[in-house]
Amino acid sequence: MTMVFTTAFSLTGCKNTKPAAEQITEITEAFKSGDSELFYASMEESKKFDSYFEAVQNKSTSGLGAVYVKLNEKAKDVTVQPDEKNDTFDIPVTVSSYDAYTVALTKMYEAAKEGPEAFADMPAWLTSALDEAEMTTESVEFDSRTDSSTLKYEFGSNSDFFKKMTCGLYDFMNATMTTCTDGEITTCLLAKGDEVLFSADYYYTPLEELEEYGFSEDTVQDYIDEMIKEYEGYEGVLTDAQYDGKGISQVIFVDYNTVSASTLVDLGFLSSSAADGITLKGTIEGFEKDGMTCVTETFGITSEEEVEE
């Protein structure tokens, strides 16, 4: 894609020749106030931000829409200080915002340990993360180059800025949750479009089956300790197991942002380390061939996949 280079002033059309630093401030204020027209005067079109502005304007009370309303409330406290004297393409911006992403990871894993229903309720733990997030200040860069056809700023080269502006929830915006099960094994897949971001796999091993391997009710804790130890050292993978008197329930939580391909091969998620990765569409197709039933929840928001189709 051809880029138009702009420095001190942005060339986003005849109606907007303000300095880029001033537009960065306007973009932020538009996000905070829910003004989509002002926001898109400088930014390219975005389905996820369309959903955000629609939810804020309609005061949504359910699904991801309610999360966007909560995000808008927290965003009122966000401040940006672009370096107005900088004349390069990449403008330093000091952003004070809430770090809900770190809290969301913790909330998500806690929900995963509770069970597939709790993990799949993404709006609940995202809202909780926003409630408990603390303010942080960080310097990021804003890419002031504009697209040659639209003459507007792009999200792709400014993801760090928008992650801060959205209190760290940028990757969760318009995400979906797919639950696949065959009645015994359940897998939940949190995805952005066709990209799987996180997953939680649930297994249950009855005591009778454990006894076949030489374990008894007296030694079941040894089995759990061995199981948990097996996953220690794998970056991006967490596991938890509980004995209910009749068997062991286990959850394997995977963060695909940090897990390595070799780890996925070791865990059996990939057939070879040369694989491109795990896609939502491919995973669903594989599960359905194995007899599992998959249901995707969009939480009241049109998913990116549906838009593309």
Side-chain angles (χ1 to χ4, degrees):
M1 183 175 291
T2 305
M3 305 296 292
V4 174
F5 297 149
T6 62
T7 54
F9 290 85
S10 170
L11 303 179
T12 54
C14 298
K15 295 182 179 179
N16 201 342
T17 56
K18 299 176 181 178
E22 185 175 338
Q23 289 188 62
I24 293 171
T25 301
E26 282 192 352
I27 290 168
T28 304
E29 292 305 313
F31 178 78
K32 293 165 62 173
S33 65
D35 187 340
S36 59
E37 183 176 353
L38 179 59
F39 185 83
Y40 286 131
S42 300
M43 293 305 307
E44 65 179 347
E45 294 294 320
S46 166
K47 295 300 180 183
K48 65 173 60 178
F49 281 96
D50 283 349
S51 299
Y52 165 81
F53 285 116
E54 181 179 356
V56 171
Q57 291 163 7
N58 294 334
K59 296 180 174 58
S60 297
T61 58
S62 63
L64 276 178
V67 176
Y68 295 156
V69 171
K70 170 66 71 173
L71 171 58
N72 178 254
E73 293 174 2
K74 303 293 286 189
K76 305 295 186 186
D77 298 328
V78 173
T79 61
V80 298
Q81 293 181 321
D83 185 350
E84 298 180 357
K85 297 180 179 180
N86 187 284
D87 59 359
T88 67
F89 301 135
D90 300 307
I91 302 175
V93 185
T94 300
V95 185
S96 292
S97 177
Y98 292 100
D99 177 17
Y101 184 81
T102 301
V103 184
L105 292 181
T106 300
K107 294 292 182 181
M108 179 168 32
Y109 182 56
E110 290 176 351
K113 290 193 293 183
E114 289 183 32
E117 294 82 6
F119 179 77
D121 191 359
M122 180 170 58
W125 46 259
L126 282 179
T127 299
S128 181
L130 283 168
D131 285 334
E132 297 182 22
E134 297 183 357
M135 185 71 74
T136 64
T137 300
E138 184 179 345
S139 179
V140 296
E141 290 185 340
F142 188 94
D143 181 8
S144 64
R145 301 165 182 84
T146 57
D147 174 72
S148 60
S149 59
T150 64
L151 296 178
K152 293 185 178 183
Y153 302 129
E154 298 185 301
F155 289 100
S157 58
N158 286 302
S159 59
D160 288 343
F161 173 80
F162 285 102
K163 285 178 181 178
K164 293 294 294 181
M165 194 174 73
T166 57
C167 301
L169 300 190
Y170 184 69
D171 288 339
F172 292 105
M173 295 178 71
N174 286 23
T176 61
M177 183 70 73
T178 299
T179 300
C180 299
T181 185
D182 61 3
E184 295 182 359
I185 298 174
T186 299
T187 296
C188 298
L189 305 160
L190 192 161
K192 179 178 61 176
D194 198 39
E195 179 187 3
V196 177
L197 302 179
F198 303 94
S199 69
D201 291 77
Y202 296 87
Y203 307 91
Y204 187 81
T205 307
L207 183 59
E208 293 81 2
E209 186 174 328
L210 292 173
E211 290 174 341
E212 294 178 5
Y213 291 95
F215 292 95
S216 66
E217 190 167 6
D218 294 333
T219 59
V220 69
Q221 189 58 49
D222 294 333
Y223 179 80
I224 291 177
D225 293 341
E226 288 184 18
M227 185 186 300
I228 294 177
K229 185 177 181 180
E230 179 183 352
Y231 292 93
E232 290 180 353
Y234 284 137
E235 184 179 5
V237 180
L238 295 170
T239 190
D240 184 68
Q242 302 291 332
Y243 178 60
D244 63 4
K246 297 180 180 180
I248 294 176
S249 57
Q250 180 191 16
V251 58
I252 301 174
F253 172 82
V254 180
D255 179 349
Y256 292 91
N257 297 293
T258 58
V259 73
S260 67
S262 61
T263 293
L264 292 175
V265 172
D266 289 343
L267 295 176
F269 286 77
L270 290 179
S271 59
S272 72
S273 58
D276 294 332
I278 293 180
T279 65
L280 179 62
K281 183 178 180 180
T283 302
I284 291 176
E285 289 177 349
F287 282 152
E288 291 180 337
K289 287 181 180 179
D290 291 337
M292 300 180 80
T293 300
C294 297
V295 177
T296 298
E297 174 62 64
T298 61
F299 306 104
I301 303 296
T302 302
S303 70
E304 294 181 20
E305 284 292 285
E306 292 177 308
V307 171
E308 291 174 1
E309 293 176 359

